[in-house]
Amino acid sequence: MKSRLVHVLATLLSGALTLGAMQAQASSDDKAIVTAAAEALGGLERVRSVKNITLSGYGQYAYMFGGGNISGSPEAPQKYQAANDLKRVYDLEHGRFQQLERRNFLFPFAAIFGHAFAQANLVLDGDIGYETGRDGQFVRSRQWIESPLHVDGVHMRRMWMLNNPVALVRAALDPANQLGAPRKEGDLTVLDLTLKQGDKLSFAIDGRSKLPTWVRWKNPHSNLGQVTLTTHFSGYAPYGGLKMPLGYVTRIDWRNVDYFKMYVDDYVVDTQIADLAAPESVRSGSDADPAVTSEATQVAPGVWRLTPYGNTVFEFADHLAIYELGGSHAAAKAAIDKARTLVPGKPLTEYIPSHHHFDHTAGFRVGVAEGLTVVSRFGNEGIFREMAERRAPDYPDALEKNRKPFKFRGFDDHLRMSDSKATVDLYWARANTHMADAVFAYVPASKVFVEGDMATAAKDYQFWGDNYMDNVEHYKLDVDVLSTVHMGIMKPAEVIEMVKGGVQRARERCAAELAKGNYFPGCPIVSNRY
């Protein structure tokens, strides 16, 4: 018995020693791999001694991550947003980072801001994010920022900072961060890295050159649940005693979209940079998400418009339906909760998106999680199904926490939703160059027209100004009032006057650009009415 016990203890001790040796070997291996990467980038001591790097160049973002194209088809041509006058400042000495760029849409957009080259100034100082607000003053950023155009916040800015291979390898060399055991993927060696702040990422080292090949991380996403982003480095060149890439491409794991492409014109190493420390006014500010509430205004009997995100609710004999769930997850939940109070005892069962664009479907996953049936054109079914079926295990949202089957009711040109209480006609918004498969609603009894982005995308420019009246005449509709997503409750005459002005302003913009020799997208303006 004693002999057996000694044998067991010896076996356990041997196993522990073996495991310890394996862990030590793994630790030694990952450190050797990272050290070799540092040597390839310019030398271990050079990498460790770098104080700051400034990248200048230009780039393009995939508009709405690929969710803002003319249709939801994977084959739809990609729309882009330019990022010109671009700079990235990596303040490695102080653990700070700055994104500077001027953004402009490379396609016709209804609002002036889309074509204004407005500067984005986004900064990270340790665990504090801040940016230049609309009034020109610095404001503290929220921890997690999700918009239809960009994912942002402290985590994303830290990941963008580590997109630079020198910053990445320095982080991997930092003993405060934790490296995982190396693994092989073809000719690449892949390492996982957990930062002291808790952020997780992976990166790959080329087996021959020993240079970083890509970096990968995850982030929550309103429409897609979560996304995995992978930035690939290419075209290494020498700058300031370091090798750094001339090309960066960041892809997402949905449809393999090239979300961000960055082209380098120059790097400057260890030069005078601005002080990126967060001002005290920023440090004392809140990074909490603002509360979201919803209020209802009756448009007609059995029809309500909800603010501030422009949903419209229809009452039927035994249920309610809601048109649009945009804004955000919080906005969608607030709208759904408010809709359920309008007629006590009647459940909300149907959800009618105006179209697939990610700003208009930011609350889509909330609607599916609430068990709502999605009613839309068949042309939208594919992208909606993709959005509903994506998982978000690392950043669980409403749909990940409450998985529901995707329920879809489709039509082509026209669907009549009718019972003893109400009739609502859904129509295809034909020939709209902004959104090929858009849907608008019409209530015959009260002559209410419900739309998003047909005539009321914005007041500034009307690049598809005829579309509203073309559809009214095609379907022979008698309209008394409009309940719009973006602009509130309007009379038809108000809409027509606004559209006329928008067409004129668009023509003036086209003329001004042409005078500069700039053949502006969307020009000349085609309108047979105004």
Side-chain angles (χ1 to χ4, degrees), residues 133-183:
R134 293 183 179 180
D135 60 357
Q137 302 299 310
F138 289 134
V139 295
R140 185 157 179 171
S141 307
R142 301 196 303 276
Q143 283 289 314
W144 301 92
I145 302 171
E146 300 175 60
S147 84
L149 296 174
H150 304 275
V151 285
D152 192 17
V154 170
H155 172 67
M156 276 297 297
R157 292 184 198 178
R158 189 172 287 127
M159 295 301 99
W160 285 133
M161 181 177 183
L162 296 182
N163 266 221
N164 180 286
V166 175
L168 174 64
V169 169
R170 281 173 59 107
L173 289 167
D174 187 341
N177 301 325
Q178 182 180 350
L179 274 170
R183 62 184 183 274

Side-chain angles (χ1 to χ4, degrees), residues 60-67 69 72-76 78-80 214-216 224 226-232 249-261 358 383 386 390:
Q60 295 100 36
Y61 292 93
Y63 179 61
M64 293 191 183
F65 305 87
N69 296 332
S73 167
E75 308 307 323
Q78 179 60 55
K79 292 181 178 178
Y80 290 100
W214 54 252
V215 59
R216 177 174 295 152
L224 302 173
Q226 71 177 44
V227 288
T228 298
L229 302 100
T230 304
T231 297
H232 295 265
V249 175
T250 302
R251 296 192 178 99
I252 60 174
D253 63 335
W254 179 66
R255 295 184 172 181
N256 203 34
V257 170
D258 287 352
Y259 166 57
F260 181 53
K261 298 181 287 188
F358 277 8
I383 191 170
E386 289 179 69
R390 278 183 64 90

Side-chain angles (χ1 to χ4, degrees), residues 354-420:
S354 64
H355 58 297
H356 78 279
H357 286 175
F358 277 8
D359 56 334
H360 287 259
T361 55
F364 177 91
R365 286 175 62 90
V366 175
V368 175
E370 294 287 332
L372 306 184
T373 297
V374 178
V375 186
S376 186
R377 290 200 83 218
F378 284 115
N380 293 319
E381 182 178 6
I383 191 170
F384 286 162
R385 187 173 297 279
E386 289 179 69
M387 291 163 62
E389 293 179 352
R390 278 183 64 90
R391 304 302 301 265
D394 300 285
Y395 301 100
D397 61 0
L399 185 54
E400 183 65 27
K401 294 174 182 177
N402 186 30
R403 297 298 301 173
K404 292 288 180 68
F406 175 59
K407 297 181 290 185
F408 183 80
R409 184 181 180 189
F411 66 97
D412 286 315
D413 288 12
H414 174 227
L415 173 67
R416 170 156 285 190
M417 304 168 66
S418 185
D419 63 14
S420 60

Side-chain angles (χ1 to χ4, degrees), residues 15 29 81 97 109 128 140 231-232 249 252 267 273 333 335 450 469 476 480 485 489 494 496 505:
D29 287 347
Q81 179 185 33
F97 173 65
F109 192 73
I128 297 175
R140 185 157 179 171
T231 297
H232 295 265
V249 175
I252 60 174
Y267 288 101
I273 62 172
K333 187 64 169 66
V450 183
M469 280 305 301
K476 298 179 174 57
D480 184 60
V485 170
I489 301 168
E494 296 177 80
I496 296 302
R505 285 186 290 274

Side-chain angles (χ1 to χ4, degrees), residues 202-512:
S202 302
F203 62 97
I205 303 294
D206 180 74
R208 185 188 60 79
S209 69
K210 310 304 180 187
L211 292 168
T213 301
W214 54 252
V215 59
R216 177 174 295 152
W217 71 102
K218 298 176 182 179
N219 200 82
H221 191 282
S222 294
N223 305 78
L224 302 173
Q226 71 177 44
V227 288
T228 298
L229 302 100
T230 304
T231 297
H232 295 265
F233 310 125
S234 61
Y236 276 89
Y239 288 89
L242 298 166
K243 287 183 181 178
M244 289 180 285
L246 296 175
Y248 297 74
V249 175
T250 302
R251 296 192 178 99
I252 60 174
D253 63 335
W254 179 66
R255 295 184 172 181
N256 203 34
V257 170
D258 287 352
Y259 166 57
F260 181 53
K261 298 181 287 188
M262 186 164 65
Y263 310 80
V264 176
D265 289 330
D266 193 21
Y267 288 101
V268 179
V269 181
D270 289 344
T271 188
Q272 186 68 34
I273 62 172
D275 183 359
L276 300 179
E280 182 53 39
S281 60
V282 166
R283 292 180 175 277
S284 60
S286 173
D287 61 358
D289 292 332
V292 179
T293 59
S294 184
E295 300 298 329
T297 300
Q298 191 160 29
V299 181
V303 182
W304 297 264
R305 184 178 186 273
L306 308 184
T307 55
Y309 292 100
N311 327 89
T312 298
V313 178
F314 306 108
E315 179 189 2
F316 293 91
D318 60 356
H319 72 283
L320 304 173
I322 190 166
Y323 182 94
E324 205 74 337
L325 286 175
S328 67
H329 281 205
K333 187 64 169 66
I336 289 170
D337 290 345
K338 184 64 178 180
R340 286 171 171 159
T341 70
L342 296 175
V343 186
K346 286 191 180 181
L348 180 68
T349 62
E350 292 172 310
Y351 158 41
I352 308 159
S354 64
H355 58 297
H356 78 279
H357 286 175
F358 277 8
D359 56 334
H360 287 259
T361 55
F364 177 91
R365 286 175 62 90
V366 175
V368 175
E370 294 287 332
L372 306 184
T373 297
V374 178
V375 186
S376 186
R377 290 200 83 218
F378 284 115
N380 293 319
E381 182 178 6
I383 191 170
F384 286 162
R385 187 173 297 279
E386 289 179 69
M387 291 163 62
E389 293 179 352
R390 278 183 64 90
R391 304 302 301 265
D394 300 285
Y395 301 100
D397 61 0
L399 185 54
E400 183 65 27
K401 294 174 182 177
N402 186 30
R403 297 298 301 173
K404 292 288 180 68
F406 175 59
K407 297 181 290 185
F408 183 80
R409 184 181 180 189
F411 66 97
D412 286 315
D413 288 12
H414 174 227
L415 173 67
R416 170 156 285 190
M417 304 168 66
S418 185
D419 63 14
S420 60
K421 173 70 176 179
T423 293
V424 176
D425 288 311
L426 302 183
Y427 292 104
W428 172 33
R430 302 161 51 90
N432 188 297
T433 57
H434 178 62
M435 43 187 188
D437 294 304
V439 171
F440 69 89
Y442 179 72
V443 185
S446 52
K447 302 178 182 179
V448 173
F449 190 107
V450 183
E451 58 93 16
D453 283 10
M454 286 182 67
T456 58
K459 294 181 179 179
D460 304 324
Y461 301 134
Q462 292 285 342
F463 288 101
W464 50 92
D466 290 356
N467 189 246
Y468 164 66
M469 280 305 301
D470 283 353
N471 276 275
V472 168
E473 292 180 0
H474 177 82
Y475 294 113
K476 298 179 174 57
L477 306 179
D478 182 10
V479 181
D480 184 60
V481 64
L482 289 87
S483 179
T484 75
V485 170
H486 290 302
M487 292 188 186
I489 301 168
M490 304 176 70
K491 286 292 187 179
E494 296 177 80
V495 175
I496 296 302
E497 285 305 306
M498 183 200 66
V499 169
K500 284 181 180 178
V503 170
Q504 181 59 32
R505 285 186 290 274
R507 285 187 171 134
E508 291 169 357
R509 177 66 187 260
C510 288

Side-chain angles (χ1 to χ4, degrees), residues 21-36 179-183 189 191:
M22 292 172 60
Q23 290 173 336
Q25 180 64 42
S27 177
S28 175
D29 287 347
D30 60 43
K31 289 179 181 176
I33 292 165
V34 175
T35 300
L179 274 170
R183 62 184 183 274
T189 299
L191 290 154

